[in-house]
């Protein structure tokens, strides 16, 4: 391995945290490159079970440098709590660094996220209410505050003062809510800044040195490709790019340096929040998958919508990311079915679409076309070698490889680090 990007290939929650924790054993650096604390990455390893929101999932390996990249939006309260919790549970966080270019989630971002969702009414996106849309809007609108600003109190106060004037005008005149206090936010963020200062730095030189020495680096994605603002089910998307291209932008590692792009797919489909999901099962089977697999959001606890594997969305995702291989997770969840369905096309007005449509009005009318495969009906969580999988499970995986035109190199058969089949060594 040199530089490997781990990318959510569906609508998020594919098991990226588990895969990063596993592969980080052989890495020297793990960089989280996008999103914020809208992410919830579950890791189960000898330290216990963790739900990480901002800290990279490589943090459990002593000696692995963890970087929160410039592409991440940081809520300092959440980050400090996460660091404290890790330390309390015996995890060493002294190898954590925060890019001085990362943007900060401010109290008005969280407030506006909620107020905007309310105004959207029936068309609400179902955001995580973590301030993600507003913070990335401000980044592009050149109204953001970055971690480097916390290191210069005078400059921070002056920037916050002018930005807050704009935000308070929006809060009071458009949303009819009281203004926020400059003093309070300033004092709060100065105290966060003091605690975070030892972690904040220009992370470019660390990465430059590691890249030039060909040290193994993992770029950890958040969310999933179908939530990407460009290629996802817009406007029901998030506000930073979870895709392979985003891994370069959000870390500062050149696209030229990225050697492998691993798409993490769940063996079926889930989605949390609003927006289209062609293979959603609004029936007993969907409920059964949700309960069997405990499909509830790691960040908000909301029930995840569940359905069969969507290979139309999947092959679109594989193509726009250029996956070099796939990590397939949660195959064990399918252990109990006598037959399994894979969506291979969308039926629309008598035609079969094989490409994922951009227009949600069209997508909303699409009916999934399914191919049925036999299930294996035997537990697979204790299997560690591909050839020991039941033939039906191997056939299911092989069919996904065909449909996605990409090899499956990792098969995850349980939530713990060791419940994994390495079909081919990635690192
Ligand atoms: P992430 O956001 O992509 O890191 O994924 P989440 O942590 O939000 O959701 C994935 C869930 O699946 C978590 O509860 C994991 O513990 C769990 N998980 C990951 N891989 C497997 C697997 O192979 N089998 C089972 N049963 N659970 C898994
Ligand atoms: P991980 O990294 C699943 C979804 C939200 C909502 C939409 C926009 O754990 O895979 P936002 O708060 O980002 O403005 O919400 O995106 N969403 C996720 N869904 N996994 C995630 O992260 C998500 N992060 C955001 O539910 O539909
Ligand atoms: Mg998650």
């Amino acid at each position: 391995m040199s530089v490997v990007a781990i990318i959510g290939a569906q609508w998020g929650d594919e098991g990226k945290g588990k895969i990063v924790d596993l592969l980080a054993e052989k890495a020297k650096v793990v960089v989280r490159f996008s999103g914020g604390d809208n992410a919830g990455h579950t890791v189960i390893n000898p330290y216990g079970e963790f739900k990480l929101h901002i800290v990279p999932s490589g943090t459990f390996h002593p000696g692995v440098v963890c970087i929160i990249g410039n592409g991440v939006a940081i809520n300092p309260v959440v980050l400090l709590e996460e660091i404290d919790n890790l330390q309390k549970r015996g995890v060493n966080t002294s190898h954590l660094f925060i890019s001085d270019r990362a943007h900060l989630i401010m109290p008005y971002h969280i407030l506006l996220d909620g107020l905007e969702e309310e105004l959207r009414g029936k068309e609400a996106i179902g955001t995580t209410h973590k301030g993600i849309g507003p913070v990335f809007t401000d980044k592009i609108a050149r109204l953001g505050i970055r971690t480097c600003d916390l290191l210069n109190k005078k400059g921070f106060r002056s920037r916050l003062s002018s930005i807050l004037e704009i935000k308070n005008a929006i809060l009071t005149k458009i949303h009819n809510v009281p203004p926020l206090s400059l003093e309070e936010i300033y004092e709060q963020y100065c105290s966060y800044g003091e605690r975070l200062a030892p972690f904040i730095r220009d992370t470019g030189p660390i990465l430059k040195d590691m890249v030039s020495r060909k040290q193994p680096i993992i770029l950890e994605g958040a969310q999933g490709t179908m939530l990407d603002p460009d290629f996802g089910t817009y406007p029901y998307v998030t506000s930073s790019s979870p895709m392979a291209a985003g891994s370069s932008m959000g870390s500062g590692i050149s696209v030229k340096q990225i050697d492998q792009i691993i798409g993490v797919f769940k063996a079926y489909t889930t989605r949390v929040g609003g927006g289209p999901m062609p293979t959603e099962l609004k029936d007993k089977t969907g409920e059964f998958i949700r309960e069997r697999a405990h499909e509830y959001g790691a960040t908000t606890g909301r029930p995840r919508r569940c359905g069969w594997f969507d290979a139309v969305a999947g092959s679109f995702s594989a193509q726009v990311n250029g996956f070099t291989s796939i990590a397939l997770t949660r195959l064990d969840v399918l252990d109990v079915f006598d037959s399994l369905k894979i969506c291979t096309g969308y039926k629309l007005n008598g035609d079969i679409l094989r490409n994922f449509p951009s227009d949600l009005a069209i997508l909303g009318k699409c009916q999934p076309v399914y191919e049925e495969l036999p299930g294996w009906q035997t537990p697979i969580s204790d299997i560690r070698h591909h050839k020991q999988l039941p033939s039906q499970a191997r056939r299911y995986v092989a069919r996904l490889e065909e449909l996605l035109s990409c090899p499956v190199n990792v098969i995850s058969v349980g939530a713990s680090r060791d419940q994994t089949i390495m079909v081919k060594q990635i690192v």
Side-chain angles (χ1 to χ4, degrees), residues 10-12 223-229 232-233 236-238 240 242 271:
Q10 296 158 310
W11 277 277
Q223 291 81 53
T225 300
M226 303 314 291
L227 291 170
D228 181 80
T233 47
Y236 296 94
V237 293
T238 190
S240 66
R271 176 168 198 168

Side-chain angles (χ1 to χ4, degrees), residues 225-226 230-232 311-321 355-356 404:
T225 300
M226 303 314 291
D230 279 276
F231 293 102
V312 181
S315 61
F316 174 67
S317 171
Q319 177 226 320
V320 288
N321 281 295
N355 294 322
F356 195 82
L404 303 176

Side-chain angles (χ1 to χ4, degrees), residues 12-13 16 39-41 298 304:
D13 301 328
K16 298 174 292 292
H41 294 182
R304 294 175 182 150

Side-chain angles (χ1 to χ4, degrees), residues 11-16 32 36 38-41 52 113 125-134 221-224 227 236-239 271-274 298-300 302 304:
W11 277 277
D13 301 328
E14 299 90 348
K16 298 174 292 292
R32 221 335 257 284
N38 50 348
H41 294 182
L52 298 173
D113 196 351
I125 292 163
T127 74
T128 57
H129 288 242
K130 303 291 181 187
I132 299 300
Q223 291 81 53
L227 291 170
Y236 296 94
V237 293
T238 190
S239 299
R271 176 168 198 168
V272 62
T299 296
T300 57
R302 290 178 292 174
R304 294 175 182 150

Side-chain angles (χ1 to χ4, degrees), residues 121-242:
K122 276 206 317 262
E123 274 145 40
I125 292 163
T127 74
T128 57
H129 288 242
K130 303 291 181 187
I132 299 300
V135 72
F136 285 109
T137 301
D138 275 359
K139 177 175 177 174
I140 303 304
R142 296 158 293 188
L143 284 175
I145 295 180
R146 299 183 298 166
T147 52
C148 59
D149 296 321
L150 294 179
L151 306 180
N152 162 10
K153 284 192 184 176
K154 204 161 150 225
F156 171 51
R157 191 187 167 91
S158 139
R159 185 151 177 81
L160 177 64
S161 164
S162 52
I163 292 171
L164 197 59
E165 228 172 274
I166 301 171
K167 297 298 168 189
N168 275 339
I170 294 171
L171 289 172
T172 55
K173 294 181 190 163
I174 296 180
H175 296 286
N176 291 315
V177 297
L180 297 175
S181 148
L182 170 65
E183 285 314 317
E184 260 176 46
I185 301 180
Y186 175 70
E187 292 300 331
Q188 258 178 4
Y189 275 66
C190 282
S191 76
Y192 303 145
E194 275 161 29
R195 284 206 54 205
L196 290 175
F199 300 101
I200 300 172
R201 64 168 65 188
D202 179 0
T203 49
I206 307 176
L207 293 172
K208 184 176 168 214
D209 172 58
M210 294 282 184
V211 169
S212 68
R213 290 194 290 120
K214 297 215 175 306
Q215 295 297 307
I217 298 173
I218 291 177
L219 307 179
E220 175 177 0
Q223 291 81 53
T225 300
M226 303 314 291
L227 291 170
D228 181 80
D230 279 276
F231 293 102
T233 47
Y234 192 87
Y236 296 94
V237 293
T238 190
S239 299
S240 66
S241 177

Side-chain angles (χ1 to χ4, degrees), residues 23-332:
L23 298 181
E25 197 170 7
K26 299 215 177 121
K28 281 280 183 275
V29 188
V30 177
V31 192
R32 221 335 257 284
F33 67 77
S34 70
D37 61 311
N38 50 348
H41 294 182
T42 314
V43 171
I44 303 178
N45 61 26
Y47 285 97
E49 175 167 348
F50 296 82
K51 299 212 181 288
L52 298 173
H53 302 290
I54 315 178
V55 172
S57 304
T59 194
F60 303 95
H61 299 278
V64 172
V65 171
C66 284
I67 294 179
I68 300 173
N70 57 282
V72 179
I74 299 173
N75 180 333
V77 192
V78 175
L79 176 57
L80 285 165
E81 264 177 31
E82 201 161 300
I83 294 171
D84 286 346
N85 181 42
L86 285 165
Q87 286 174 350
K88 256 190 240 149
R89 294 178 64 185
V91 182
N92 182 349
T93 53
S94 63
H95 293 98
L96 177 69
F97 298 106
I98 302 168
S99 165
D100 57 358
R101 289 178 163 85
H103 281 247
L104 289 167
I105 296 180
M106 306 299 290
Y108 44 82
H109 292 136
I110 297 169
L111 200 56
L112 286 167
D113 196 351
L115 291 165
E116 287 168 8
E117 275 288 84
E118 230 172 85
L119 285 178
R120 286 186 197 111
K122 276 206 317 262
E123 274 145 40
I125 292 163
T127 74
T128 57
H129 288 242
K130 303 291 181 187
I132 299 300
V135 72
F136 285 109
T137 301
D138 275 359
K139 177 175 177 174
I140 303 304
R142 296 158 293 188
L143 284 175
I145 295 180
R146 299 183 298 166
T147 52
C148 59
D149 296 321
L150 294 179
L151 306 180
N152 162 10
K153 284 192 184 176
K154 204 161 150 225
F156 171 51
R157 191 187 167 91
S158 139
R159 185 151 177 81
L160 177 64
S161 164
S162 52
I163 292 171
L164 197 59
E165 228 172 274
I166 301 171
K167 297 298 168 189
N168 275 339
I170 294 171
L171 289 172
T172 55
K173 294 181 190 163
I174 296 180
H175 296 286
N176 291 315
V177 297
L180 297 175
S181 148
L182 170 65
E183 285 314 317
E184 260 176 46
I185 301 180
Y186 175 70
E187 292 300 331
Q188 258 178 4
Y189 275 66
C190 282
S191 76
Y192 303 145
E194 275 161 29
R195 284 206 54 205
L196 290 175
F199 300 101
I200 300 172
R201 64 168 65 188
D202 179 0
T203 49
I206 307 176
L207 293 172
K208 184 176 168 214
D209 172 58
M210 294 282 184
V211 169
S212 68
R213 290 194 290 120
K214 297 215 175 306
Q215 295 297 307
I217 298 173
I218 291 177
L219 307 179
E220 175 177 0
Q223 291 81 53
T225 300
M226 303 314 291
L227 291 170
D228 181 80
D230 279 276
F231 293 102
T233 47
Y234 192 87
Y236 296 94
V237 293
T238 190
S239 299
S240 66
S241 177
M243 294 177 52
S247 71
S248 168
M249 287 283 284
S251 66
I253 290 187
S254 160
V255 284
K256 262 195 329 198
Q257 308 291 351
I258 300 173
D259 303 289
Q260 293 190 59
I261 303 170
I262 301 175
V264 186
F265 282 92
K266 228 173 238 195
Y268 48 95
T269 307
T270 63
R271 176 168 198 168
V272 62
M277 175 181 160
T279 62
E280 180 173 12
L281 294 168
K282 294 180 180 163
D283 59 9
K284 288 223 162 71
T285 309
E287 263 169 52
F288 177 78
I289 296 176
R290 180 162 44 249
E291 294 315 315
R292 171 167 166 76
H294 309 291
E295 289 289 6
Y296 291 88
T299 296
T300 57
R302 290 178 292 174
R304 294 175 182 150
R305 300 152 64 191
C306 299
W308 297 116
F309 193 94
D310 184 341
V312 181
S315 61
F316 174 67
S317 171
Q319 177 226 320
V320 288
N321 281 295
F323 293 144
T324 53
S325 70
I326 288 167
L328 186 68
T329 65
R330 297 201 137 202
L331 189 63
D332 55 295

